């Protein structure tokens, strides 16, 4: 691992990387094909949780950056921070608004009847008029296994001396791990219900910070 003392340049790199993850998350949220998912239970909670977690990373690093006093007041980083903050606030409000709208629609639909949780039709088998438990998607299972293997490889590499080749390998592995993470949320509404270990992903994300 790198030394405990993280340089200002490393912090700036992390800020850029996490901001790109935020922008990709927002882009996926805005896609037209996600309209159906936005009407399903749990969607907004997952998106808000992921957005808030990544924004917390940026806020924490920003506090550290400012305390160092190494950047001049006119440094482009401060414009970058203000821009990403405005973007996050905008979509936090959008997600909350969509969630509130869904809640109102659900309340109207209930009208004295108990509303069943909304499930992705792809993950639900209905036989003889009875709703069955969601089935596990084989593709999702394969993606989870692939990511688990890459995270294990990432941890092994993180234990090695931080030479150039090791750093490049770590960055390549993390790029692939992120790609699987976003693909999982495109495949199913709540990957955790299909065996996805989001905590392990977040642990790995913390592990690569500063590398």
């Amino acid at each position: 691992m790198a030394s405990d003392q993280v340089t200002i340049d490393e912090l700036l790199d992390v800020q850029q990387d996490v901001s790109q993850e935020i922008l990709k998350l927002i882009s996926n949220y805005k896609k037209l094909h996600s309209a159906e998912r936005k009407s399903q239970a749990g969607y907004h909670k997952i998106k808000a949780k992921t957005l808030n977690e990544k924004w917390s990373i940026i806020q924490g690093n920003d506090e550290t950056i400012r305390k160092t006093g190494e950047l001049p007041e006119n440094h482009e980083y401060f414009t970058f921070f203000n821009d990403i903050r405005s973007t996050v606030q905008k979509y936090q409000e959008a997600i909350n608004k969509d969630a509130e709208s869904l809640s109102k629609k659900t309340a109207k639909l209930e009208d004295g009847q108990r509303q069943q949780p909304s499930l992705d039709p792809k993950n639900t088998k209905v036989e003889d008029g009875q709703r069955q438990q969601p089935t596990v998607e084989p593709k999702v299972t394969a993606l989870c296994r692939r990511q688990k293997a890459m995270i294990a490889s990432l941890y092994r590499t993180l234990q090695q001396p931080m030479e150039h080749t090791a750093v490049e390998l770590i960055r390549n592995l993390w790029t692939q791990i992120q790609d699987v993470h976003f693909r999982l949320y495109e495949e199913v509404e709540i990957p955790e219900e299909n065996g996805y270990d989001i905590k392990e992903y977040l642990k790995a994300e913390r592990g690569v910070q500063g590398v």
Side-chain angles (χ1 to χ4, degrees), residues 10 120 141 196:
E10 289 173 333
D120 191 329
T141 299
Y196 181 45

Tab-separated table of all heavy atoms in Angstrom, residues 10 120 141 196:
chain	number	residue	atom	x	y	z
A	10	GLU	N	-2.591	13.119	-5.137
A	10	GLU	CA	-3.351	11.875	-5.023
A	10	GLU	C	-4.795	12.158	-4.633
A	10	GLU	O	-5.727	11.534	-5.153
A	10	GLU	CB	-2.692	10.966	-3.986
A	10	GLU	CG	-1.359	10.386	-4.454
A	10	GLU	CD	-0.632	9.624	-3.361
A	10	GLU	OE1	-0.852	9.943	-2.169
A	10	GLU	OE2	0.153	8.728	-3.696
A	120	ASP	N	-39.311	-6.632	-10.519
A	120	ASP	CA	-38.917	-6.653	-11.925
A	120	ASP	C	-39.552	-7.869	-12.581
A	120	ASP	O	-39.318	-8.994	-12.157
A	120	ASP	CB	-37.389	-6.742	-12.029
A	120	ASP	CG	-36.916	-6.494	-13.450
A	120	ASP	OD1	-37.666	-6.836	-14.386
A	120	ASP	OD2	-35.799	-5.971	-13.602
A	141	THR	N	-25.547	-13.750	-11.470
A	141	THR	CA	-24.700	-14.637	-10.680
A	141	THR	C	-23.290	-14.695	-11.255
A	141	THR	O	-22.293	-14.637	-10.523
A	141	THR	CB	-25.295	-16.059	-10.644
A	141	THR	OG1	-26.597	-16.008	-10.037
A	141	THR	CG2	-24.408	-16.998	-9.835
A	196	TYR	N	-25.583	-10.023	-4.685
A	196	TYR	CA	-24.479	-9.073	-4.844
A	196	TYR	C	-24.064	-8.514	-3.492
A	196	TYR	O	-24.896	-8.046	-2.718
A	196	TYR	CB	-24.892	-7.933	-5.769
A	196	TYR	CG	-23.807	-6.919	-6.014
A	196	TYR	CD1	-22.499	-7.320	-6.294
A	196	TYR	CD2	-24.074	-5.550	-5.984
A	196	TYR	CE1	-21.507	-6.397	-6.519
A	196	TYR	CE2	-23.086	-4.620	-6.229
A	196	TYR	CZ	-21.799	-5.045	-6.488
A	196	TYR	OH	-20.808	-4.124	-6.720
